[in-house]
């Protein structure tokens, strides 16, 4: 399995027959190089969205239509994006879908969720979510935009993820210290990959507090378009 960072909370996950794009925020991203767009999306087979905010979902419909691939997301968001001509698969928290052989279960996140990138007032777009992705003998917890929440207790026990992709930049989500605390309290990660940081000035620029807070855990600061092989 290869996990490739696309900046902010965007990832490309290559596994088996699937190439999954997760929250790809490319157009207008302060950190993603425009000339690398084709490389980032080439061969993608599925697209996952944690919620509808522009720094996660604004590129979803154009990419899905260009590549002819489905978008998997919470039901209400799927209706909105489907009305724009994208193929969508809506599901809900506790539901599991097969994404090219990867079993993706939607779990809770505590945040807000709306379509906020089209101008005018934000439009209700369901609730924010995270994912548990079971594939190749691993379970990857994609936190989505969230703070610490009590649900992490049962999520860690039931799904027992060994890899965490954690939004940890602070301001809009938990910060690095809070993510480290939650990881020790609720999970038994072998590998942690921070995201939702470095993009904007309001966010943390270093994962060092997360590294310091998780001795014995392989905390990998991702590099743009560089594959992390697991």
């Amino acid at each position: 399995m290869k996990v490739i960072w696309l900046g902010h909370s965007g990832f490309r996950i290559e596994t088996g027959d699937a190439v999954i794009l997760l929250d790809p925020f490319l157009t207008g991203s302060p950190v993603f190089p425009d000339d690398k767009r084709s490389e980032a999306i080439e061969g993608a087979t599925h697209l996952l969205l944690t919620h509808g905010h522009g720094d996660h979902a604004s590129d979803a419909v154009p990419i899905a239509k260009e590549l002819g691939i489905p978008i998997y997301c919470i039901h209400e968001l799927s209706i909105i994006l489907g009305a724009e001509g994208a193929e969508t698969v809506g599901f809900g928290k506790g539901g599991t879908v097969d994404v090219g052989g990867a079993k993706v279960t939607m779990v809770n996140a505590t945040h807000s969720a709306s379509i906020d990138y089209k101008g005018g007032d934000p439009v209700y777009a369901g609730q924010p979510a995270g994912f548990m992705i079971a594939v190749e003998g691993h379970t990857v917890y994609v936190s989505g935009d969230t703070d610490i929440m009590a649900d992490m207790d049962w999520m860690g026990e039931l799904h027992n993820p060994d890899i965490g992709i954690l939004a940890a930049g602070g301001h809009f989500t938990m910060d690095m210290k809070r993510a480290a605390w939650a990881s020790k309290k609720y999970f038994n990660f072998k590998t942690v990959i921070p995201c939702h940081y470095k993009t904007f000035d309001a966010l943390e620029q270093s994962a060092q507090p997360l590294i310091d807070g998780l001795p014995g855990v392989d905390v990998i600061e991702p590099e743009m378009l560089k594959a992390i092989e697991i």
Side-chain angles (χ1 to χ4, degrees):
M1 176 169 54
K2 294 182 180 179
V3 179
I4 301 167
W5 190 48
L6 306 180
H8 201 53
S9 286
F11 286 88
R12 174 188 173 99
I13 301 175
E14 301 179 1
T15 176
D17 295 328
V19 176
I20 302 167
L21 297 180
L22 170 67
D23 286 356
F25 170 44
L26 310 180
T27 306
S29 167
V31 297
F32 184 81
D34 292 340
D35 61 347
K36 297 295 185 179
R37 181 180 183 277
S38 294
E39 177 182 342
I41 70 172
E42 183 181 6
T45 57
H46 305 79
L47 199 155
L48 292 177
L49 293 180
T50 60
H51 64 296
H53 286 159
D55 58 332
H56 297 257
S58 58
D59 277 323
V61 169
I63 291 173
K65 291 169 73 172
E66 178 181 340
L67 300 181
I69 63 175
I71 301 171
Y72 293 76
C73 57
I74 203 160
H75 171 69
E76 291 82 0
L77 181 58
S78 76
I79 293 174
I80 295 170
L81 301 184
E84 297 179 22
E87 178 188 352
T88 61
V89 178
F91 64 124
K93 296 174 184 179
T96 301
V97 293
D98 188 312
V99 177
K103 304 296 186 183
V104 180
T105 301
M106 185 180 291
V107 295
N108 198 28
T110 179
H111 188 56
S112 59
S114 62
I115 299 290
D116 62 354
Y117 54 88
K118 296 183 179 181
D121 295 332
V123 175
Y124 172 72
Q127 295 182 349
F131 299 115
M132 293 287 180
I133 305 175
V135 64
E136 291 189 17
H138 297 282
T139 298
V140 183
Y141 171 43
V142 176
S143 73
D145 285 10
T146 192
D147 188 21
I148 299 167
M149 56 182 175
D151 281 352
M152 290 177 172
D153 189 6
W154 68 258
M155 287 161 51
E157 182 176 353
L158 179 62
H159 292 278
N160 194 27
D162 57 313
I163 301 166
I165 297 178
L166 308 180
H171 197 77
F172 296 105
T173 71
M174 58 187 174
D175 61 17
M176 296 293 172
K177 289 183 178 180
R178 294 171 78 86
W181 186 92
S183 296
K184 289 187 291 187
K185 175 74 172 178
Y186 298 122
F187 301 102
N188 187 29
F189 294 129
K190 301 298 186 292
T191 303
V192 167
I193 303 169
C195 65
H196 209 282
Y197 77 120
K198 292 185 178 181
T199 324
F200 305 105
D201 290 343
L203 305 182
E204 294 200 35
Q205 303 299 306
S206 170
Q208 196 60 49
L210 181 64
I211 296 169
D212 293 343
L214 292 176
V217 176
D218 187 15
V219 179
I220 302 173
E221 289 201 74
E223 299 179 37
M224 184 71 64
L225 292 169
K226 183 177 179 180
I228 299 168
E229 297 199 27
I230 298 173

